Amino acid sequence: MPRADRARVGAYGAAVCAAAYGSMKLAQALGAKALADRDPLPPELRERLLARDPLFVASHWVLAGAAVVGVVLALATVRPWGAAAPRRLLLAIAWVLGIFMIARAIGVLGFGFVGDALLLADVRPPPAGEAALARDLARWDLLLWSPFFLLWGAFWTATAGGRRVTGRGAP
């Protein structure tokens, strides 16, 4: 696939992933339980999340807003109206987001394929008194969240890697 096509697929894929993630966070901010009980959080934070602690509600609004910004950033790399944006900044943001999401998916940040596999293989002990819940959340993370973040990160890196930096202007 030509470099420009890879970047275009990456940009649209990153925008779709951001929209999906943002929609879920918006639903949670408005009171829906949409996968909130499957969030791989430590037990005390999970309880606060499910109790709709104001900090978590606010964080969902912030994440929904960040997802809107993500959609706009992704599309700015391929749409004509994005030509006014500084190309280097857009691509730097795409690289950072892609690398961060891939690192999260792999497990560098504590969650992800490695951490989940270690927990499920009993190499890493679960929190005391929360073994069944920790294993359930690890399965959800292994089958849903980590692949989603890996895909989303791959889209961001395809967006960034498929573009040449030419200052301002659409490629």
Side-chain angles (χ1 to χ4, degrees):
M1 180 181 296
R3 188 176 188 169
D5 290 345
R6 244 189 351 257
R8 189 173 320 288
V9 168
Y12 286 114
V16 167
C17 288
Y21 186 78
S23 297
M24 181 191 64
K25 291 302 178 181
L26 177 61
Q28 289 175 346
L30 293 171
K33 297 283 188 204
L35 296 172
D37 61 339
R38 301 298 176 213
D39 217 331
L41 292 171
E44 64 279 356
L45 293 179
R46 186 173 184 277
E47 288 174 23
R48 289 177 57 194
L49 169 69
L50 296 176
R52 296 198 39 80
D53 180 284
L55 179 65
F56 278 96
V57 173
S59 74
H60 290 333
W61 282 107
V62 169
L63 290 170
V68 170
V69 171
V71 169
V72 171
L73 285 172
L75 295 178
T77 65
V78 292
R79 304 300 303 157
W81 50 262
R87 185 69 46 212
R88 287 183 193 276
L89 179 61
L90 286 177
L91 298 182
I93 291 169
W95 275 118
V96 168
L97 289 172
I99 291 167
F100 175 77
M101 289 177 183
I102 291 169
R104 187 269 181 231
I106 292 170
V108 175
L109 305 175
F111 303 109
F113 296 119
V114 173
D116 296 334
L118 291 175
L119 181 88
L120 293 171
D122 289 325
V123 174
R124 189 183 83 195
E130 301 288 338
L133 177 61
R135 284 186 176 80
D136 185 46
L137 294 178
R139 281 187 207 94
W140 273 94
D141 190 58
L142 193 61
L143 297 174
L144 175 65
W145 299 118
S146 292
F148 177 76
F149 280 105
L150 182 62
L151 179 66
W152 197 1
F155 282 140
W156 277 118
T157 56
T159 300
R163 293 283 173 216
R164 285 187 169 75
V165 178
T166 58
R168 289 188 188 267

